Amino acid sequence: MTNHVIPYGKQTISQADIDAVVDVLKSDWLTQGPKVPAFEQSLVAATGAKFALAVNSATSALHIACLALGLGQGDSLWTTPITFVASANCALYCGASVDFVDINPTTYNLCPTALKEKLIKAKQQGSLPNVVVVVHLCGQPCDMKAIHALSIEYGFKVIEDASHAIGGRYQGQAIGSCEYSDITVFSFHPVKIVTTAEGGAALTNDQALADKMQLYRSHGITRDESLMENTSHGPWYYEQIDLGFNYRMTELQAALGVSQMKRLSEFVAARHQLAARYNEKLADLPITLPSQLPHTYSGLHLYVIRLHLDKITKSHQQVFKELREAGIAVNVHYIPVHLQPYYQKMGFKAGDYPEAERYYTEAISIPMFHGMTLDQQDSVITALTTILAD
């Protein structure tokens, strides 16, 4: 076992990032100051969306996005099984039901063809979804034009879970522009492309949705007199006009985010250089390498390989275990949500989404992050080559 474990992902913190956070610690504002709006503006500038609301996690962003779109009791949300559980749980928080659409075997994203087939059946049964959450897995954009066209035809709202995809582009436009969706959500967890430690954001081009999400982010409270039911009692006055939550981002997190966003292009470009090198060095191994759709630029949050289990002597679990033992901190993204015990109690079962389940039996996320050295990458390549050759 090596003493130097190579993680599958990690943050890159510069002196400028540290200085930005220290400046806030020395200021009068640790929360609800000027840095959160500044961070939101950096997201608007990077994506072209009209509005950005920073929150304490992407999970919170998904929750307020669903609420703003009116999701509630008796409604349904569809998403992909290959995602973190938050992409589905957000429906349950609102009292709605969840269903899944199988993945495309090449992109591992929600399959537009499978979506269309499911929508046709749902229309016949009178059970169309209210919201579809599409996930840009690994940073690879979904086929948003196709999904948007279906949303117009079948009348559902679209949330882009772009937790993996900041800095990516779809047909020349930044992910987060909301050109083909109602709301886009980002994550700023430490393993993601840009970090605020914990944190997330919801972006939209719709003023009404932005206003609703702002209310839900902070207890349903407003200081806007035009929204109040009573005459203001004075400058201190506020009203709670809806049931909201404490989902605010702190000034410390936002200051880190503002600093990190200055290097967004650099972070993603570095990932592309590492991915290109992996593509070259791993080309002859019995694995499927990630594919890149035409007219897209992936955020490349993850580099996922799929094992050709019929061409190697080891199991998925053995390869994973041996890589970990070699100091390569690989991971699997993700266990299909419908196979989680909580969801199986709702009636989902193995066999429901064959492509997602097949992907899960073969997929391994190998290390890739800004700041990864070529020596570290060579260690990953050597370990993987050796383990698959045995």
Side-chain angles (χ1 to χ4, degrees):
M1 178 77 180
T2 179
N3 292 323
H4 302 289
V5 174
I6 302 170
Y8 82 86
K10 63 174 288 194
Q11 70 276 13
T12 299
I13 301 297
S14 68
Q15 189 59 49
D17 294 337
I18 294 165
D19 292 344
V21 174
V22 171
D23 285 346
V24 169
L25 285 168
K26 292 177 177 176
S27 77
D28 293 333
W29 301 94
L30 296 187
T31 188
Q32 293 181 277
K35 290 297 179 186
V36 170
F39 180 50
E40 290 169 341
Q41 277 308 115
S42 74
L43 295 172
V44 165
T47 62
K50 290 182 181 173
F51 308 100
L53 290 102
V55 288
N56 59 359
S57 71
T59 301
S60 299
L62 285 165
H63 186 193
I64 64 172
C66 288
L67 288 171
L69 291 170
L71 194 72
Q73 291 279 352
D75 295 335
S76 70
L77 177 149
W78 293 1
T79 189
T80 167
I82 299 298
T83 184
F84 187 56
V85 292
S87 309
N89 289 348
C90 56
L92 306 180
Y93 299 156
C94 300
S97 64
V98 178
D99 205 349
F100 300 96
V101 179
D102 211 349
I103 63 168
N104 176 285
T106 304
T107 66
Y108 319 146
N109 284 330
L110 184 147
C111 177
T113 305
L115 175 61
K116 184 169 185 177
E117 290 169 2
K118 195 174 180 102
L119 286 166
I120 291 167
K121 288 179 187 171
K123 187 174 184 181
Q124 292 167 350
Q125 295 164 356
S127 59
L128 285 167
N130 303 83
V131 174
V132 172
V133 174
V134 298
V135 179
H136 302 317
L137 190 75
C138 307
Q140 166 80 278
C142 293
D143 186 351
M144 291 308 301
K145 267 193 171 177
I147 291 163
H148 179 255
L150 290 170
S151 78
I152 301 299
E153 186 178 351
Y154 290 93
F156 58 84
K157 301 295 187 183
V158 178
I159 298 174
E160 292 178 74
D161 185 342
S163 293
H164 294 183
I166 193 168
R169 293 192 295 274
Y170 173 75
Q171 301 201 341
Q173 288 190 299
I175 299 295
S177 71
C178 299
E179 175 74 15
Y180 299 107
S181 65
D182 297 278
I183 299 171
T184 300
V185 167
F186 288 135
S187 171
F188 306 113
H189 183 276
V191 297
K192 299 300 195 302
I193 297 159
V194 163
T195 188
T196 60
E198 286 281 2
L203 287 75
T204 186
N205 293 324
D206 185 316
Q207 176 84 61
L209 290 178
D211 290 346
K212 284 180 184 174
M213 290 192 290
Q214 188 159 11
L215 271 178
Y216 291 129
R217 170 175 69 174
S218 191
H219 305 283
I221 283 173
T222 185
R223 293 180 182 274
D224 182 346
E225 289 189 28
S226 69
L227 298 176
M228 291 180 182
E229 294 187 15
N230 302 312
T231 305
S232 173
H233 301 174
W236 67 87
Y237 190 68
Y238 60 85
E239 285 186 354
Q240 182 187 343
I241 59 173
D242 211 328
L243 182 62
F245 306 85
N246 183 359
Y247 284 169
R248 295 187 302 264
M249 177 179 277
T250 68
E251 288 288 281
L252 299 169
Q253 292 167 301
L256 177 56
V258 169
S259 183
Q260 287 259 310
M261 283 296 290
K262 292 172 183 172
R263 290 178 290 154
L264 174 60
S265 296
E266 173 196 322
F267 286 162
V268 179
R271 290 169 181 273
H272 275 265
Q273 289 171 352
L274 290 164
R277 196 161 181 266
Y278 270 146
N279 290 346
E280 179 191 341
K281 304 280 187 182
L282 302 177
D284 296 331
L285 296 184
I287 58 177
T288 299
L289 301 176
S291 67
Q292 176 79 44
L293 285 177
H295 312 299
T296 65
Y297 180 72
S298 176
L300 276 175
H301 164 52
L302 298 171
Y303 190 96
V304 173
I305 61 168
R306 288 180 71 168
L307 304 177
H308 295 171
L309 293 170
D310 57 337
K311 295 178 183 173
I312 60 176
T313 58
K314 293 172 180 168
S315 68
H316 185 227
Q317 191 173 7
Q318 280 177 300
V319 174
F320 186 94
K321 186 166 173 271
E322 289 181 28
L323 283 164
R324 283 274 180 103
E325 286 169 351
I328 314 299
V330 290
N331 213 331
V332 173
H333 297 89
Y334 292 94
I335 303 165
V337 180
H338 71 284
L339 297 183
Q340 294 292 349
Y342 188 83
Y343 280 85
Q344 298 222 302
K345 285 170 189 165
M346 296 178 199
F348 294 105
K349 60 189 185 303
D352 283 348
Y353 306 100
E355 290 295 348
E357 292 169 34
R358 195 172 299 118
Y359 163 89
Y360 173 57
T361 63
E362 301 169 353
I364 296 179
S365 301
I366 63 175
M368 189 174 70
F369 49 91
H370 179 267
M372 185 182 196
T373 65
L374 295 184
D375 283 348
Q376 286 176 315
Q377 191 179 28
D378 285 339
S379 296
V380 176
I381 292 163
T382 300
L384 188 60
T385 304
T386 303
I387 289 163
L388 293 180
D390 291 347

